[in-house]
Amino acid sequence: MPLQNRLKEYRARHGLNQGQMGQLVGVSRQTISLIERGDYNPSVTLALRIAAVFGVQVEDIFSLTGEEEP
Amino acid sequence: MKKHVYLKFAGTLIFFALVGAAIGYGSGALLSDLGVAKIYDLRRWLAQLASQAAFWVLAADLALLAVGFLFCLRGKNLGARALEKETDRLYEKAEEALCRAMTLANISVVLGMAAFGVACCDADVLLRSLPLFLLAEGLGMVLQHLTVRRTQALNPEKKGSVFEARFVRQWYDSCDEAQREQIGWAAFKSFRVMQSLFAWAFVPLALLGCYGLVGPLVFLVWGGLWMVQIVSYSVYARKAEKGQMK
């Protein structure tokens, strides 16, 4: 099932580029780019790490298509 | 399983059996007109033609490498701009150029080895081809090395050197979850292509074998390679089921 994400929005809000974001969560810049484009769905572990960087819940960043966003 | 699946399979078998019979009858009629002596002449002529062509294939291989070096240079320039400006689009273009450079390097290395192998069948061609072969393989490795270095400049987490025997393992170990998924998908696609190729290659090889245009060794190599692919896949799939993916 397709996953929507607001990673780019949160990343821009915190002034992080893709490389910096990748370093914070332990993945490559390419992976951050793939997630933002919707070409890759992160693992649960990675999604939790991403949410922890911004101090929000996973559901604030990632949601299933068709679900209402907060 | 639904009945139509069995019917479709049976129909496909019968269709290809009829096609094979028609091709076999037609080629048999054609080659029996030529006679056994002419078949061996044809075989010798084809071998000489392939050996002579091998030299020119090696020359073309160098041209392929030249294009690869141009892509590597383009990747280097785009990569430098990407690191400076931190633009996603520039990173993508740089990585695309480096990917093309690596693809051309890999094609060149394999093509060079195949062409030199064919050249070995003729002593004169072998001597003329040896310097080209050594040059092509050496430049191919240099191109691979430069492409890997440029990629590592863009992606510092990537590890490994093409001059080390464990390069592929080191590179894979430095990949994250998304990159490993990409590798897995590409590897599976490649496996499926090779499965089809091995199966389809049997038909023309068998026909050529019937008329002495290829020898038994070809079938041993063909069968051996396919066997290694299937058995190694089964072994590693079983390990994966047991959670032994290391």
Side-chain angles (χ1 to χ4, degrees), chain A:
Chain A
M1 190 175 285
L3 203 64
Q4 284 182 331
N5 76 81
R6 299 165 66 190
L7 176 56
K8 192 169 185 176
E9 178 191 322
Y10 274 88
R11 185 170 60 77
R13 208 185 288 174
H14 286 75
L16 296 168
N17 61 38
Q18 290 180 337
Q20 289 165 337
M21 186 71 216
Q23 278 180 344
L24 285 171
V25 296
V27 296
S28 64
R29 181 200 51 75
Q30 286 170 318
T31 297
I32 299 299
S33 176
L34 285 169
I35 294 172
E36 289 179 356
R37 291 199 318 251
D39 289 335
Y40 176 69
N41 292 337
S43 63
V44 169
T45 314
L46 180 55
L48 285 168
R49 278 198 228 126
I50 290 171
V53 164
F54 301 124
V56 298
Q57 301 293 312
V58 171
E59 292 83 358
D60 294 331
I61 303 174
F62 299 99
S63 59
L64 294 169
T65 307
E67 286 187 8
E68 288 184 25
E69 292 186 354

Coordinates of all heavy atoms in Angstrom, one line a residue, chain A:
Chain A
M1 N 0.9 -1.2 0.0 CA 0.0 0.0 0.0 C 0.9 1.2 0.0 O 1.9 1.3 0.8 CB -0.9 0.0 1.3 CG -2.0 1.1 1.2 SD -3.1 1.0 2.6 CE -4.1 -0.4 2.1
P2 N 0.6 2.2 -0.9 CA 1.4 3.4 -1.0 C 1.5 4.2 0.3 O 0.5 4.2 1.1 CB 0.7 4.2 -2.1 CG -0.1 3.3 -2.8 CD -0.5 2.2 -1.9
L3 N 2.6 4.8 0.6 CA 2.9 5.5 1.8 C 3.1 7.0 1.5 O 3.9 7.3 0.6 CB 4.1 4.9 2.5 CG 4.3 5.1 4.0 CD1 3.2 4.4 4.7 CD2 5.6 4.6 4.4
Q4 N 2.4 7.9 2.1 CA 2.6 9.3 2.0 C 3.6 9.7 3.1 O 3.6 9.2 4.2 CB 1.3 10.1 2.1 CG 0.5 10.0 0.8 CD -0.8 10.8 1.0 OE1 -1.3 11.0 2.1 NE2 -1.3 11.2 -0.1
N5 N 4.4 10.7 2.7 CA 5.3 11.2 3.8 C 5.5 12.7 3.6 O 5.4 13.3 2.6 CB 6.6 10.4 3.8 CG 7.5 10.8 2.6 OD1 8.2 11.9 2.7 ND2 7.5 10.1 1.6
R6 N 5.9 13.3 4.8 CA 6.1 14.7 4.8 C 7.6 15.0 5.3 O 7.9 16.0 5.9 CB 5.2 15.4 5.9 CG 3.7 15.2 5.5 CD 2.8 15.5 6.7 NE 2.8 16.9 7.0 CZ 2.3 17.4 8.2 NH1 1.6 16.6 9.0 NH2 2.3 18.7 8.4
L7 N 8.4 14.0 4.9 CA 9.8 14.1 5.3 C 10.5 15.4 4.8 O 11.2 16.1 5.5 CB 10.6 12.9 4.8 CG 12.1 12.8 5.1 CD1 12.4 13.0 6.6 CD2 12.6 11.5 4.6
K8 N 10.2 15.7 3.5 CA 10.9 16.9 2.9 C 10.4 18.2 3.7 O 11.3 19.1 3.9 CB 10.5 17.0 1.4 CG 11.3 18.0 0.7 CD 11.1 17.8 -0.8 CE 12.0 18.8 -1.6 NZ 11.8 18.6 -3.1
E9 N 9.2 18.2 4.0 CA 8.6 19.4 4.7 C 9.3 19.5 6.1 O 9.8 20.6 6.4 CB 7.1 19.2 4.9 CG 6.4 20.3 5.6 CD 5.0 19.8 5.9 OE1 4.3 19.1 5.1 OE2 4.5 20.2 7.0
Y10 N 9.4 18.4 6.8 CA 10.0 18.5 8.1 C 11.5 18.8 8.0 O 12.1 19.5 8.8 CB 9.8 17.2 8.9 CG 8.5 17.1 9.6 CD1 7.3 16.6 9.0 CD2 8.4 17.5 11.0 CE1 6.1 16.5 9.7 CE2 7.2 17.4 11.7 CZ 6.1 16.9 11.0 OH 4.9 16.9 11.7
R11 N 12.1 18.2 7.0 CA 13.6 18.4 6.8 C 13.8 19.9 6.6 O 14.8 20.5 7.1 CB 14.1 17.6 5.7 CG 15.5 17.6 5.5 CD 16.0 16.5 4.5 NE 15.4 16.6 3.2 CZ 15.8 17.5 2.2 NH1 16.7 18.4 2.5 NH2 15.2 17.5 1.0
A12 N 13.0 20.5 5.7 CA 13.2 21.9 5.3 C 12.9 22.8 6.5 O 13.6 23.8 6.8 CB 12.2 22.3 4.2
R13 N 11.9 22.4 7.3 CA 11.6 23.2 8.5 C 12.8 23.2 9.5 O 13.0 24.2 10.2 CB 10.4 22.6 9.2 CG 9.5 23.5 10.0 CD 8.4 22.8 10.7 NE 7.4 22.3 9.8 CZ 6.4 21.5 10.2 NH1 6.3 21.1 11.4 NH2 5.4 21.1 9.3
H14 N 13.5 22.1 9.6 CA 14.7 22.1 10.5 C 16.0 22.5 9.9 O 17.0 22.4 10.5 CB 14.8 20.6 11.1 CG 13.7 20.3 12.1 ND1 12.4 20.1 11.8 CD2 13.8 20.2 13.4 CE1 11.7 19.8 12.9 NE2 12.5 19.9 13.9
G15 N 15.9 22.9 8.6 CA 17.1 23.4 7.9 C 18.2 22.3 7.6 O 19.4 22.6 7.7
L16 N 17.7 21.1 7.4 CA 18.6 20.0 7.1 C 18.6 19.7 5.6 O 17.6 19.6 5.0 CB 18.2 18.7 7.9 CG 18.3 18.8 9.4 CD1 17.6 17.6 10.0 CD2 19.7 18.9 9.9
N17 N 19.8 19.4 5.0 CA 19.8 18.9 3.7 C 19.8 17.3 3.8 O 19.8 16.8 4.9 CB 21.1 19.4 2.9 CG 22.4 18.9 3.5 OD1 22.5 17.8 4.0 ND2 23.4 19.8 3.4
Q18 N 19.7 16.7 2.6 CA 19.5 15.3 2.6 C 20.7 14.5 3.2 O 20.5 13.5 3.9 CB 19.2 14.8 1.1 CG 17.9 15.2 0.6 CD 17.7 14.7 -0.8 OE1 18.6 14.4 -1.6 NE2 16.4 14.6 -1.2
G19 N 21.9 15.0 2.9 CA 23.1 14.4 3.4 C 23.1 14.4 5.0 O 23.4 13.4 5.6
Q20 N 22.8 15.6 5.5 CA 22.8 15.8 7.0 C 21.7 14.9 7.6 O 21.9 14.2 8.6 CB 22.5 17.2 7.3 CG 23.7 18.1 7.0 CD 23.3 19.6 7.0 OE1 22.1 20.0 6.9 NE2 24.3 20.5 7.2
M21 N 20.5 14.8 6.9 CA 19.4 14.0 7.4 C 19.9 12.5 7.4 O 19.6 11.8 8.4 CB 18.2 14.2 6.5 CG 17.0 13.5 7.0 SD 16.3 14.2 8.4 CE 15.7 12.8 9.3
G22 N 20.5 12.1 6.4 CA 21.0 10.7 6.3 C 22.0 10.4 7.4 O 21.9 9.3 8.0
Q23 N 22.8 11.3 7.7 CA 23.8 11.1 8.7 C 23.2 10.9 10.1 O 23.6 10.1 10.9 CB 24.8 12.2 8.8 CG 25.9 12.1 7.7 CD 26.9 13.2 7.8 OE1 26.7 14.3 8.4 NE2 28.1 13.1 7.2
L24 N 22.1 11.7 10.3 CA 21.4 11.7 11.6 C 20.7 10.4 11.9 O 20.6 9.9 13.0 CB 20.4 12.9 11.7 CG 21.0 14.2 11.9 CD1 20.0 15.3 11.8 CD2 21.7 14.3 13.3
V25 N 20.2 9.8 10.8 CA 19.4 8.5 10.9 C 20.2 7.3 10.5 O 19.7 6.2 10.5 CB 18.1 8.6 10.2 CG1 17.2 9.7 10.9 CG2 18.2 8.8 8.8
G26 N 21.4 7.5 10.0 CA 22.3 6.3 9.7 C 22.0 5.7 8.3 O 22.3 4.5 8.1
V27 N 21.5 6.5 7.4 CA 21.4 6.0 6.0 C 22.0 7.0 5.1 O 22.5 8.1 5.5 CB 19.9 5.8 5.6 CG1 19.3 4.7 6.5 CG2 19.1 7.1 5.7
S28 N 22.1 6.6 3.8 CA 22.7 7.5 2.8 C 21.8 8.6 2.3 O 20.6 8.6 2.5 CB 23.1 6.6 1.6 OG 21.9 6.1 1.0
R29 N 22.4 9.6 1.7 CA 21.6 10.7 1.1 C 20.6 10.2 0.1 O 19.5 10.6 0.0 CB 22.6 11.7 0.5 CG 21.9 12.9 -0.1 CD 22.9 13.6 -1.1 NE 23.4 12.6 -2.1 CZ 22.7 12.1 -3.1 NH1 21.5 12.5 -3.3 NH2 23.3 11.2 -3.9
Q30 N 21.1 9.2 -0.7 CA 20.3 8.6 -1.7 C 19.0 8.0 -1.1 O 17.9 8.1 -1.7 CB 21.0 7.4 -2.4 CG 22.1 7.8 -3.3 CD 22.9 6.6 -3.8 OE1 23.3 5.8 -3.0 NE2 23.3 6.6 -5.0
T31 N 19.1 7.4 0.0 CA 17.9 6.8 0.7 C 16.9 7.8 1.1 O 15.7 7.6 0.9 CB 18.3 5.9 1.8 OG1 19.2 4.8 1.3 CG2 17.2 5.3 2.6
I32 N 17.4 8.9 1.6 CA 16.5 10.0 2.0 C 15.8 10.5 0.8 O 14.6 10.8 0.8 CB 17.3 11.1 2.7 CG1 18.0 10.7 4.0 CG2 16.4 12.3 3.0 CD1 17.1 10.1 5.1
S33 N 16.5 10.6 -0.3 CA 15.9 11.1 -1.6 C 14.9 10.1 -2.1 O 13.8 10.5 -2.5 CB 17.0 11.3 -2.6 OG 16.5 11.6 -3.9
L34 N 15.2 8.8 -2.0 CA 14.2 7.8 -2.4 C 12.9 7.8 -1.5 O 11.8 7.7 -2.1 CB 14.8 6.4 -2.3 CG 15.8 6.0 -3.3 CD1 16.6 4.7 -2.9 CD2 15.2 5.8 -4.7
I35 N 13.1 8.0 -0.2 CA 11.9 8.1 0.7 C 11.1 9.3 0.3 O 9.8 9.2 0.2 CB 12.4 8.2 2.1 CG1 13.0 6.8 2.6 CG2 11.2 8.4 3.1 CD1 13.7 6.9 3.9
E36 N 11.7 10.5 0.1 CA 11.0 11.7 -0.2 C 10.2 11.6 -1.5 O 9.1 12.1 -1.6 CB 11.9 12.9 -0.2 CG 12.4 13.3 1.2 CD 13.4 14.4 1.2 OE1 13.7 14.9 0.1 OE2 13.8 14.8 2.3
R37 N 10.8 10.9 -2.4 CA 10.1 10.7 -3.7 C 9.0 9.7 -3.7 O 8.3 9.5 -4.7 CB 11.1 10.3 -4.8 CG 12.1 11.4 -5.2 CD 12.8 11.2 -6.5 NE 13.2 9.8 -6.7 CZ 14.5 9.4 -6.7 NH1 15.4 10.2 -6.4 NH2 14.8 8.1 -7.0
G38 N 9.0 8.9 -2.6 CA 8.0 7.9 -2.5 C 8.4 6.6 -3.2 O 7.6 5.7 -3.4
D39 N 9.7 6.5 -3.5 CA 10.2 5.3 -4.2 C 10.7 4.2 -3.3 O 11.1 3.1 -3.7 CB 11.3 5.7 -5.2 CG 10.8 6.5 -6.4 OD1 9.6 6.3 -6.7 OD2 11.6 7.3 -7.0
Y40 N 10.7 4.5 -2.0 CA 11.1 3.5 -1.0 C 10.4 3.8 0.3 O 10.2 4.9 0.8 CB 12.6 3.6 -0.8 CG 13.1 2.7 0.3 CD1 13.1 1.3 0.1 CD2 13.5 3.1 1.6 CE1 13.5 0.4 1.1 CE2 13.9 2.3 2.5 CZ 13.9 0.9 2.3 OH 14.3 0.0 3.3
N41 N 9.8 2.7 0.8 CA 9.1 2.7 2.1 C 10.1 2.3 3.2 O 10.6 1.2 3.2 CB 7.9 1.8 2.2 CG 6.8 2.3 1.2 OD1 6.8 3.5 0.9 ND2 6.0 1.4 0.8
P42 N 10.4 3.2 4.2 CA 11.5 2.9 5.2 C 11.0 1.7 6.1 O 9.8 1.5 6.2 CB 11.6 4.2 6.0 CG 10.3 4.8 5.8 CD 9.8 4.5 4.4
S43 N 12.0 1.0 6.7 CA 11.6 0.0 7.7 C 11.1 0.7 8.9 O 11.2 2.0 9.0 CB 12.9 -0.8 8.0 OG 13.8 0.1 8.7
V44 N 10.5 0.0 9.8 CA 9.9 0.5 11.0 C 11.0 1.2 11.8 O 10.8 2.3 12.3 CB 9.3 -0.6 11.9 CG1 8.9 -0.1 13.3 CG2 8.0 -1.2 11.1
T45 N 12.2 0.6 11.9 CA 13.3 1.1 12.6 C 13.7 2.5 12.1 O 13.9 3.4 12.9 CB 14.5 0.2 12.6 OG1 14.1 -1.2 12.8 CG2 15.6 0.6 13.5
L46 N 13.8 2.5 10.8 CA 14.3 3.8 10.2 C 13.2 4.9 10.3 O 13.5 6.0 10.6 CB 14.6 3.6 8.7 CG 15.0 4.8 7.9 CD1 16.2 5.5 8.5 CD2 15.3 4.4 6.4
A47 N 11.9 4.5 10.2 CA 10.8 5.5 10.4 C 10.8 6.0 11.8 O 10.6 7.2 12.0 CB 9.5 4.8 10.1
L48 N 11.1 5.2 12.8 CA 11.1 5.6 14.2 C 12.3 6.6 14.4 O 12.2 7.6 15.1 CB 11.3 4.4 15.1 CG 10.0 3.6 15.3 CD1 10.3 2.2 16.0 CD2 9.0 4.3 16.1
R49 N 13.5 6.2 13.8 CA 14.7 7.1 13.9 C 14.4 8.5 13.3 O 14.8 9.5 13.9 CB 15.9 6.5 13.2 CG 16.6 5.4 14.1 CD 18.0 5.2 13.5 NE 18.2 3.8 13.4 CZ 18.6 3.2 12.3 NH1 18.8 3.8 11.2 NH2 18.8 1.9 12.3
I50 N 13.7 8.5 12.1 CA 13.4 9.8 11.5 C 12.5 10.6 12.3 O 12.7 11.8 12.5 CB 12.7 9.5 10.1 CG1 13.8 8.9 9.1 CG2 12.1 10.8 9.5 CD1 13.2 8.4 7.8
A51 N 11.4 9.9 12.9 CA 10.5 10.7 13.8 C 11.2 11.2 15.0 O 10.9 12.3 15.4 CB 9.4 9.8 14.2
A52 N 12.1 10.4 15.5 CA 12.9 10.9 16.7 C 13.7 12.1 16.5 O 13.9 13.0 17.3 CB 13.8 9.7 17.2
V53 N 14.3 12.2 15.3 CA 15.1 13.4 14.9 C 14.3 14.7 15.0 O 14.8 15.7 15.5 CB 15.7 13.2 13.5 CG1 16.2 14.6 12.9 CG2 16.8 12.2 13.4
F54 N 13.0 14.6 14.6 CA 12.1 15.8 14.6 C 11.3 15.9 15.9 O 10.6 16.9 16.1 CB 11.2 15.8 13.4 CG 11.9 15.7 12.1 CD1 11.7 14.7 11.2 CD2 12.9 16.7 11.7 CE1 12.4 14.7 9.9 CE2 13.5 16.7 10.5 CZ 13.3 15.6 9.6
G55 N 11.4 14.9 16.7 CA 10.7 14.9 18.0 C 9.2 14.8 17.8 O 8.4 15.4 18.6
V56 N 8.8 14.0 16.8 CA 7.3 13.8 16.6 C 7.0 12.4 16.5 O 7.9 11.5 16.6 CB 6.9 14.5 15.2 CG1 7.1 16.0 15.3 CG2 7.7 13.9 14.0
Q57 N 5.8 12.0 16.3 CA 5.3 10.6 16.2 C 5.6 10.2 14.7 O 5.6 11.1 13.8 CB 3.9 10.5 16.5 CG 3.5 10.9 17.9 CD 4.1 9.9 18.9 OE1 4.0 8.7 18.8 NE2 4.8 10.5 19.9
V58 N 5.7 8.9 14.5 CA 5.9 8.4 13.1 C 4.7 8.8 12.3 O 4.9 9.2 11.1 CB 6.0 6.8 13.2 CG1 6.0 6.3 11.8 CG2 7.3 6.4 13.9
E59 N 3.5 8.7 12.8 CA 2.3 9.0 12.1 C 2.3 10.5 11.6 O 1.5 10.8 10.7 CB 1.0 8.7 12.9 CG 0.8 7.3 13.2 CD 1.6 6.8 14.4 OE1 2.4 7.6 15.0 OE2 1.5 5.6 14.7
D60 N 3.0 11.4 12.3 CA 3.1 12.8 11.8 C 3.8 12.9 10.5 O 3.6 13.9 9.8 CB 3.7 13.6 12.9 CG 2.9 13.7 14.2 OD1 1.7 13.6 14.1 OD2 3.6 13.8 15.3
I61 N 4.7 12.0 10.3 CA 5.5 12.1 9.0 C 5.0 11.1 8.0 O 5.0 11.5 6.8 CB 7.0 11.8 9.3 CG1 7.5 12.7 10.4 CG2 7.9 11.9 8.1 CD1 8.9 12.4 10.9
F62 N 4.7 9.9 8.4 CA 4.3 8.9 7.4 C 2.8 8.5 7.6 O 2.4 8.3 8.8 CB 5.1 7.6 7.6 CG 6.6 7.8 7.3 CD1 7.5 8.0 8.4 CD2 7.1 7.9 6.0 CE1 8.8 8.2 8.2 CE2 8.4 8.1 5.8 CZ 9.3 8.3 6.9
S63 N 2.1 8.3 6.5 CA 0.7 7.9 6.6 C 0.3 7.1 5.4 O 0.9 7.3 4.3 CB -0.3 9.1 6.8 OG -0.1 9.9 5.6
L64 N -0.6 6.2 5.6 CA -1.1 5.4 4.4 C -1.9 6.3 3.5 O -2.6 7.2 4.0 CB -1.9 4.2 4.9 CG -1.1 3.1 5.7 CD1 -2.0 2.1 6.3 CD2 -0.1 2.4 4.8
T65 N -1.9 6.0 2.3 CA -2.7 6.8 1.3 C -4.2 6.7 1.6 O -4.7 5.6 1.9 CB -2.5 6.3 -0.1 OG1 -1.1 6.2 -0.4 CG2 -3.2 7.2 -1.2
G66 N -4.8 7.9 1.7 CA -6.2 7.9 2.0 C -6.6 8.2 3.4 O -7.6 8.6 3.7
E67 N -5.5 8.0 4.3 CA -5.7 8.3 5.7 C -5.6 9.9 5.9 O -4.9 10.5 5.2 CB -4.7 7.7 6.6 CG -4.9 6.2 6.8 CD -4.0 5.6 7.8 OE1 -3.3 6.3 8.5 OE2 -4.0 4.4 7.9
E68 N -6.4 10.4 6.9 CA -6.4 11.9 7.1 C -5.1 12.2 7.9 O -4.6 11.5 8.8 CB -7.5 12.3 8.0 CG -8.9 12.2 7.3 CD -10.0 12.7 8.2 OE1 -9.8 13.5 9.1 OE2 -11.1 12.3 7.9
E69 N -4.4 13.3 7.5 CA -3.2 13.8 8.1 C -3.6 14.6 9.3 O -4.7 15.3 9.3 CB -2.4 14.6 7.2 CG -1.8 13.7 6.1 CD -0.8 14.5 5.2 OE1 -0.7 15.7 5.4 OE2 -0.2 13.9 4.3
P70 N -2.8 14.6 10.4 CA -3.1 15.5 11.6 C -3.1 17.0 11.3 O -2.3 17.4 10.4 CB -2.0 15.1 12.6 CG -0.9 14.5 11.8 CD -1.5 13.9 10.6

